[in-house]
Amino acid sequence: MTFKTNISHCLRFGLALMACCCASWSYADDESTQRVSSLMATFNEDEIPFNDRLITLGKADAPINAVFIFGLTGDTSFLVKTMLPDIMKKYVDSGRMKLTIIEQPLTWHDMQAFAGFRCVAAEKHWELLLRVAKRDVRQAFYMKGADYLKAPEYIWPMMKDFDVSREQAEKCMRNSAIVGHMEGQRRVVNETWHVTTVPTFIIGEKILVNPASFGIFEDAVESALKGSKP
């Protein structure tokens, strides 16, 4: 099954996947289960238009396609600040590689953030993710240390410049259909590549988990480019 087919298949389940998400992310202790239950009680079933597109950067006819599994972690922020500019300049902007971005929530804080971000206009989505990655990493630390119900207090300031009201943002963060969509992406990443760590790049047959240097990324891309030649 191709990636495109796989993600389309997974995302069809929407609301059902949210239930899977709740089950798979619930911990064994009663306190954690109660925290998730309290969060779920705030979810809404409103029909909210949202951006369901994948972010794809680069030329459509680029010889290879890489996937960037993006998360709300300090390691992702570091990579975006230090390595991504070189990746974009040498491979994406030059037309040698197309880059698809997939958000990977690791916690219920992340899930609310990524669901909220989906209510930002599609053409602003990548700009928002870059801004989030470049913010003070302590903000992500503080958010993940807070109660699930307090996550919007940390997420809204990241969204307020993108024409989404505070009320609308929180509805998006806890909307069953939008969270179901994000859970579909999470499952596709886990089941297609068995990836549960961010940041990760998928380049051909190679999976680079939090590459330590641009050279490691470069070697994988050059190898894939050689393999793409007739």
Side-chain angles (χ1 to χ4, degrees):
M1 182 180 292
T2 66
F3 169 67
K4 184 176 181 181
T5 302
N6 197 1
I7 196 166
S8 297
H9 176 74
C10 247
L11 296 184
R12 282 187 306 144
F13 294 98
L15 302 181
L17 286 176
M18 190 186 67
C20 296
C21 184
C22 181
S24 64
W25 288 8
S26 296
Y27 298 97
D29 61 280
D30 293 338
E31 181 180 355
S32 295
T33 301
Q34 182 59 46
R35 290 176 66 204
V36 173
S37 297
S38 296
L39 174 63
M40 297 297 290
T42 69
F43 274 55
N44 66 81
E45 307 290 335
D46 297 355
E47 293 187 9
I48 301 175
F50 67 95
N51 167 32
D52 62 358
R53 304 180 198 171
L54 288 174
I55 298 170
T56 302
L57 309 174
K59 297 181 179 179
D61 60 352
I64 64 170
N65 181 46
V67 177
F68 177 17
I69 310 300
F70 182 103
L72 299 179
T73 65
D75 287 336
T76 301
S77 293
F78 182 78
L79 186 147
V80 167
K81 293 173 185 176
T82 61
M83 194 184 303
L84 188 62
D86 290 334
I87 292 171
M88 296 298 296
K89 180 178 179 180
K90 184 167 184 177
Y91 293 112
V92 180
D93 296 341
S94 67
R96 302 179 70 196
M97 181 184 77
K98 186 166 59 175
L99 185 63
T100 299
I101 316 298
I102 304 181
E103 303 103 307
Q104 174 77 330
L106 302 181
T107 69
W108 272 106
H109 300 98
D110 294 350
M111 179 62 86
Q112 291 179 79
F114 284 134
F117 296 166
R118 286 284 162 175
C119 283
V120 169
E123 63 271 17
K124 297 289 186 179
H125 192 184
W126 181 229
E127 179 185 341
L128 171 58
L129 291 185
L130 286 178
R131 185 178 299 189
V132 168
K134 292 175 182 178
R135 78 196 189 288
D136 187 339
V137 294
R138 289 175 296 182
Q139 294 302 313
F141 177 80
Y142 296 148
M143 179 181 76
K144 294 184 181 186
D147 187 90
Y148 294 145
L149 295 176
K150 293 183 179 180
E153 297 176 16
Y154 297 89
I155 298 166
W156 162 241
M158 295 184 277
M159 298 178 60
K160 64 182 181 180
D161 295 332
F162 292 87
D163 299 322
V164 180
S165 70
R166 172 68 169 77
E167 179 183 6
Q168 183 71 0
E170 187 163 339
K171 282 189 175 183
C172 293
M173 292 174 206
R174 296 171 180 170
N175 178 262
S176 297
I178 302 175
V179 170
H181 176 86
M182 296 312 305
E183 169 62 1
Q185 287 197 179
R186 188 182 76 89
R187 285 171 59 98
V188 166
V189 170
N190 289 353
E191 295 172 8
T192 303
W193 299 295
H194 308 291
V195 169
T196 57
T197 301
V198 292
T200 293
F201 285 97
I202 316 297
I203 306 169
E205 299 298 320
K206 295 186 178 180
I207 299 176
L208 305 182
V209 179
N210 194 16
S213 69
F214 178 66
I216 294 174
F217 180 91
E218 193 174 32
D219 288 345
V221 173
E222 294 296 339
S223 176
L225 285 168
K226 289 178 182 178
S228 72
K229 293 179 180 179

